[in-house]
Amino acid sequence: MEKLANPQKTIEIIQKNHFNFQKRFGQNFLIDAHVLEKIMAAAEITKDDFVLEIGPGIGTMTQYLAESAREVTAVEIDRSLIPILEETLASYENVTIINQDIMKLDIAALVREKNGGHPIKVVGNLPYYITTPIVMGLLERAVPLQSITVMVQKEVALRMQAGPGTKDYGALSLAVQYYAEPYLAANVPPNCFIPRPGVGSAVIRLTRRQAPPVQVKDEKRMFTLIRASFAQRRKTLVNGLKNAAELDFSREQITQALTDLGLSETVRGETLTLEQFAALADALGE
Ligand code: SAM
């Protein structure tokens, strides 16, 4: 099968199969071979790898993955794409297509079956409406993972890799960086897709950490504090935490914990590092 990564071939497949784009599934198909080469380089796929692809569409990226990896499982929610994928990927014996919602798939079971429980690589041009639940679901659940290399909305990629004190820094930055090391591999303009998305895109690789970069007694409490700190960005940390419905600390308790950590009473959450949030969670837990 000829490569799909160009506008002519993509349009031909779509028209031949009378395929209708479904907005609700976030369907923007890649039509640029250079972008696909950049994704492959960032993902560092080798013939030893089992790759899980999320949302193969008509199989454009799957063709590249099939050529680089040992085995690929591609999970696509849209039933009308399955016969198309069966045709475009017919010549690759190392590809399995699953018609499922990725949010409902038992990925740990798939990893056991396909890769003997060893860490896998996840790759995808993600549907933007569920980027965060997909990525955080993979990181938070105990799925054996080496890396996630995905196309996301550019703004989301910037938030994932942002550091303290920047405008993009927030709960997503801290959650992602607790589990993984982000690397922004490429910026991708709208004209690399059919149809063109209304936003810029970027390829980000998240390399799973072997161990978290900070020690904290209660991870859950730390992430509740983080979410509460950024829910009211413009407020001081004391006010943000004091007003949070899911927390029950007095102003005095929060001020005391900040003083013990050598932080000012007027500090804002957006300036705190992950280490400082971990220390604050421990201090408030005592
Ligand atoms: N990989 C293809 C490409 O690069 O041309 C398509 C990418 S498109 C941005 C996202 C794909 O994810 C679509 O094919 C869409 O139908 C699929 N998708 C959307 N939601 C999904 C879900 N919950 N589970 C699995 N696939 C999903």
Side-chain angles (χ1 to χ4, degrees):
M1 179 76 177
E2 196 187 322
K3 281 273 171 51
L4 301 165
N6 63 72
Q8 299 74 23
K9 191 72 197 166
T10 300
I11 291 167
E12 182 194 315
I13 296 281
I14 286 167
Q15 290 182 342
K16 193 179 97 187
N17 291 280
H18 308 289
F19 173 72
N20 291 315
F21 284 97
Q22 301 257 16
K23 222 174 169 166
R24 69 191 165 113
F25 289 147
Q27 293 174 338
N28 300 95
F29 297 163
L30 268 168
I31 49 166
D32 188 310
H34 294 301
V35 173
L36 283 151
E37 281 154 21
K38 281 190 193 163
I39 297 172
M40 291 305 115
E44 294 177 347
I45 309 291
T46 72
K47 277 287 166 198
D48 291 332
D49 291 323
F50 167 76
V51 176
L52 168 63
E53 186 193 1
I54 299 172
I58 58 170
T60 311
M61 192 189 292
T62 326
Q63 292 182 327
Y64 282 75
L65 291 169
E67 285 171 13
S68 309
R70 185 190 85 236
E71 198 180 342
V72 181
T73 291
V75 181
E76 173 56 60
I77 197 170
D78 185 347
R79 195 155 34 102
S80 69
L81 286 167
I82 304 304
I84 303 181
L85 287 164
E86 278 162 4
E87 181 193 329
T88 59
L89 302 171
S91 61
Y92 299 103
E93 285 176 2
N94 57 347
V95 177
T96 308
I97 302 155
I98 301 180
N99 181 204
Q100 248 277 33
D101 177 349
I102 190 67
M103 300 306 291
K104 295 189 181 142
L105 185 75
D106 184 347
I107 301 174
L110 182 77
V111 178
R112 277 196 299 278
E113 181 201 333
K114 296 282 191 178
N115 210 37
H118 300 297
I120 63 161
K121 291 178 180 164
V122 175
V123 182
N125 170 14
L126 293 186
Y128 293 172
Y129 74 105
I130 43 165
T131 299
T132 306
I134 291 176
V135 170
M136 290 317 302
L138 285 165
L139 293 175
E140 283 167 356
R141 275 185 267 148
V143 175
L145 267 185
Q146 279 185 54
S147 61
I148 305 174
T149 305
V150 279
M151 178 85 71
V152 298
Q153 201 174 320
K154 184 171 176 192
E155 181 206 314
V156 174
L158 294 177
R159 281 163 50 205
M160 286 179 172
Q161 60 141 35
T166 62
K167 75 169 174 28
D168 295 317
Y169 188 57
L172 182 65
S173 324
L174 287 154
V176 164
Q177 292 166 31
Y178 183 72
Y179 296 103
E181 275 181 69
Y183 162 67
L184 206 143
N187 284 314
V188 183
N191 62 6
C192 295
F193 304 86
I194 287 182
R196 292 181 185 206
V199 292
S201 304
V203 177
I204 192 160
R205 188 187 67 214
L206 306 173
T207 309
R208 185 83 157 96
R209 294 182 193 276
Q210 299 294 322
V214 296
Q215 297 292 320
V216 61
K217 290 193 190 106
D218 184 345
E219 260 176 35
K220 215 171 142 232
R221 186 193 307 133
M222 178 178 73
F223 283 115
T224 307
L225 282 178
I226 290 173
R227 275 193 303 275
S229 308
F230 288 99
Q232 294 170 302
R233 260 192 111 90
R234 311 186 75 113
K235 294 228 157 84
T236 61
L237 185 57
V238 176
N239 284 333
L241 297 184
K242 174 80 192 50
N243 297 341
E246 65 273 39
L247 296 173
D248 189 22
F249 298 119
S250 68
R251 174 175 294 279
E252 291 66 36
Q253 281 173 308
I254 303 165
T255 312
Q256 185 60 52
L258 289 178
T259 310
D260 291 350
L261 297 176
L263 292 166
S264 145
E265 272 180 44
T266 58
V267 75
R268 282 171 199 266
E270 65 199 21
T271 66
L272 262 64
T273 62
L274 182 59
E275 289 75 10
Q276 288 171 317
F277 274 114
L280 184 63
D282 283 353
L284 283 170
E286 276 156 17

